[in-house]
Amino acid sequence: MPARLIVLDVIAVLAGAIVGLFVVDILGWVLFSLSVTGMVASIGRWIIVLLTVGLFAVYYRVLPPTGAAIASFFTGVVVPLVAEKLVFGSSLPTTSLLFLYVVFSVVALFTYRFVRAGGKASASAKETTRPTP
Protein backbone atom coordinates (compact mmCIF):
# COMPACT_ATOMS: atom_id res chain seq x y z
CA MET A 1 0.00 0.00 0.00
CA PRO A 2 1.51 3.35 -1.02
CA ALA A 3 2.38 5.89 1.64
CA ARG A 4 0.03 8.38 -0.03
CA LEU A 5 -2.97 6.14 0.69
CA ILE A 6 -1.90 5.65 4.29
CA VAL A 7 -1.67 9.42 4.78
CA LEU A 8 -5.07 9.83 3.12
CA ASP A 9 -6.56 7.22 5.47
CA VAL A 10 -5.09 8.97 8.50
CA ILE A 11 -6.49 12.32 7.35
CA ALA A 12 -9.90 10.72 6.68
CA VAL A 13 -9.95 9.09 10.12
CA LEU A 14 -9.01 12.33 11.86
CA ALA A 15 -11.59 14.31 9.88
CA GLY A 16 -14.35 11.79 10.57
CA ALA A 17 -13.57 11.68 14.28
CA ILE A 18 -13.29 15.45 14.70
CA VAL A 19 -16.40 16.36 12.71
CA GLY A 20 -18.45 13.53 14.22
CA LEU A 21 -17.48 14.38 17.80
CA PHE A 22 -18.13 18.10 17.37
CA VAL A 23 -21.55 17.47 15.80
CA VAL A 24 -22.49 15.14 18.67
CA ASP A 25 -21.22 17.59 21.27
CA ILE A 26 -23.17 20.51 19.77
CA LEU A 27 -26.28 18.32 19.43
CA GLY A 28 -25.92 17.15 23.04
CA TRP A 29 -25.55 20.74 24.17
CA VAL A 30 -28.64 21.90 22.23
CA LEU A 31 -30.94 18.98 23.00
CA PHE A 32 -29.79 17.73 26.40
CA SER A 33 -28.01 20.76 27.96
CA LEU A 34 -24.69 18.93 28.22
CA SER A 35 -21.49 20.83 28.84
CA VAL A 36 -19.63 21.16 25.54
CA THR A 37 -16.28 21.99 27.14
CA GLY A 38 -16.38 18.92 29.36
CA MET A 39 -17.21 16.68 26.43
CA VAL A 40 -14.63 18.13 24.04
CA ALA A 41 -11.88 18.18 26.68
CA SER A 42 -12.29 14.49 27.55
CA ILE A 43 -9.24 12.60 26.31
CA GLY A 44 -11.07 9.30 26.75
CA ARG A 45 -13.83 10.33 24.36
CA TRP A 46 -11.24 11.39 21.77
CA ILE A 47 -9.52 8.02 22.04
CA ILE A 48 -12.83 6.16 21.66
CA VAL A 49 -13.92 8.11 18.57
CA LEU A 50 -10.47 7.87 16.95
CA LEU A 51 -10.41 4.11 17.48
CA THR A 52 -13.98 3.82 16.22
CA VAL A 53 -13.34 5.76 13.02
CA GLY A 54 -10.01 3.96 12.68
CA LEU A 55 -12.01 0.74 12.49
CA PHE A 56 -13.86 2.24 9.52
CA ALA A 57 -10.55 2.27 7.62
CA VAL A 58 -9.90 -1.36 8.53
CA TYR A 59 -13.37 -2.39 7.40
CA TYR A 60 -12.95 -0.63 4.06
CA ARG A 61 -9.66 -2.47 3.53
CA VAL A 62 -10.97 -5.99 4.20
CA LEU A 63 -14.68 -5.91 3.30
CA PRO A 64 -16.63 -5.05 0.17
CA PRO A 65 -17.97 -1.47 0.21
CA THR A 66 -21.52 -2.32 1.26
CA GLY A 67 -20.43 -4.62 4.05
CA ALA A 68 -17.86 -2.09 5.20
CA ALA A 69 -20.48 0.67 5.34
CA ILE A 70 -22.87 -1.48 7.38
CA ALA A 71 -20.12 -2.67 9.74
CA SER A 72 -18.85 0.90 10.12
CA PHE A 73 -22.31 2.23 10.92
CA PHE A 74 -22.97 -0.33 13.64
CA THR A 75 -19.45 0.03 15.06
CA GLY A 76 -19.93 3.80 15.14
CA VAL A 77 -23.08 3.35 17.19
CA VAL A 78 -22.20 0.46 19.50
CA VAL A 79 -18.58 1.18 20.52
CA PRO A 80 -19.10 4.79 21.71
CA LEU A 81 -22.47 3.94 23.26
CA VAL A 82 -21.06 1.10 25.35
CA ALA A 83 -18.01 3.17 26.29
CA GLU A 84 -20.19 6.13 27.29
CA LYS A 85 -22.39 3.99 29.51
CA LEU A 86 -19.77 1.68 31.04
CA VAL A 87 -16.55 3.68 31.08
CA PHE A 88 -17.72 7.28 31.45
CA GLY A 89 -20.91 6.56 33.41
CA SER A 90 -23.18 8.89 31.49
CA SER A 91 -26.34 10.05 33.24
CA LEU A 92 -28.28 10.34 29.97
CA PRO A 93 -30.84 7.65 29.19
CA THR A 94 -29.72 4.97 26.77
CA THR A 95 -32.21 6.10 24.12
CA SER A 96 -30.75 9.62 24.14
CA LEU A 97 -27.23 8.25 23.85
CA LEU A 98 -28.39 5.93 21.08
CA PHE A 99 -29.75 8.91 19.16
CA LEU A 100 -26.53 10.88 19.64
CA TYR A 101 -24.32 8.02 18.49
CA VAL A 102 -26.47 7.20 15.48
CA VAL A 103 -25.90 10.81 14.44
CA PHE A 104 -22.18 10.44 15.22
CA SER A 105 -21.94 7.27 13.17
CA VAL A 106 -23.64 8.78 10.12
CA VAL A 107 -21.66 12.03 10.26
CA ALA A 108 -18.31 10.32 10.90
CA LEU A 109 -18.92 7.73 8.18
CA PHE A 110 -19.98 10.33 5.60
CA THR A 111 -17.00 12.53 6.49
CA TYR A 112 -14.59 9.59 6.30
CA ARG A 113 -15.98 8.49 2.93
CA PHE A 114 -16.00 12.06 1.58
CA VAL A 115 -12.34 12.60 2.42
CA ARG A 116 -11.35 9.11 1.30
CA ALA A 117 -13.27 9.36 -1.97
CA GLY A 118 -11.65 12.72 -2.73
CA GLY A 119 -8.25 11.07 -2.86
CA LYS A 120 -9.44 8.27 -5.12
CA ALA A 121 -11.21 10.70 -7.41
CA SER A 122 -8.15 12.89 -7.83
CA ALA A 123 -5.94 9.84 -8.48
CA SER A 124 -8.31 8.49 -11.11
CA ALA A 125 -8.65 11.96 -12.67
CA LYS A 126 -4.88 12.12 -13.07
CA GLU A 127 -4.89 8.73 -14.77
CA THR A 128 -7.70 9.58 -17.17
CA THR A 129 -6.35 13.00 -18.15
CA ARG A 130 -2.87 11.79 -18.95
CA PRO A 131 -2.05 12.40 -22.62
CA THR A 132 -1.66 9.23 -24.62
CA PRO A 133 1.42 9.02 -26.85
Side-chain angles (χ1 to χ4, degrees), residues 15-77:
I18 290 169
V19 172
L21 187 61
F22 279 128
V23 167
V24 165
D25 288 347
I26 300 263
L27 200 61
W29 174 63
V30 169
L31 296 178
F32 305 113
S33 299
L34 299 175
S35 169
V36 174
T37 56
M39 293 167 60
V40 170
S42 172
I43 299 296
R45 291 185 80 228
W46 280 104
I47 291 171
I48 294 296
V49 298
L50 283 170
L51 289 175
T52 301
V53 181
L55 285 173
F56 294 2
V58 173
Y59 291 150
Y60 275 96
R61 290 272 175 234
V62 298
L63 296 174
T66 303
I70 292 169
S72 296
F73 172 76
F74 284 110
T75 299
V77 173

Side-chain angles (χ1 to χ4, degrees), residues 11-13 22 36 46 68 80 89 98 114:
I11 292 170
V13 166
F22 279 128
V36 174
W46 280 104
L98 184 65
F114 178 77

Side-chain angles (χ1 to χ4, degrees), residues 92-115:
L92 282 177
T94 304
T95 53
S96 299
L97 284 174
L98 184 65
F99 170 73
L100 286 176
Y101 287 115
V102 164
V103 171
F104 165 77
S105 184
V106 169
V107 169
L109 183 58
F110 282 177
T111 305
Y112 171 81
R113 290 302 302 154
F114 178 77
V115 172

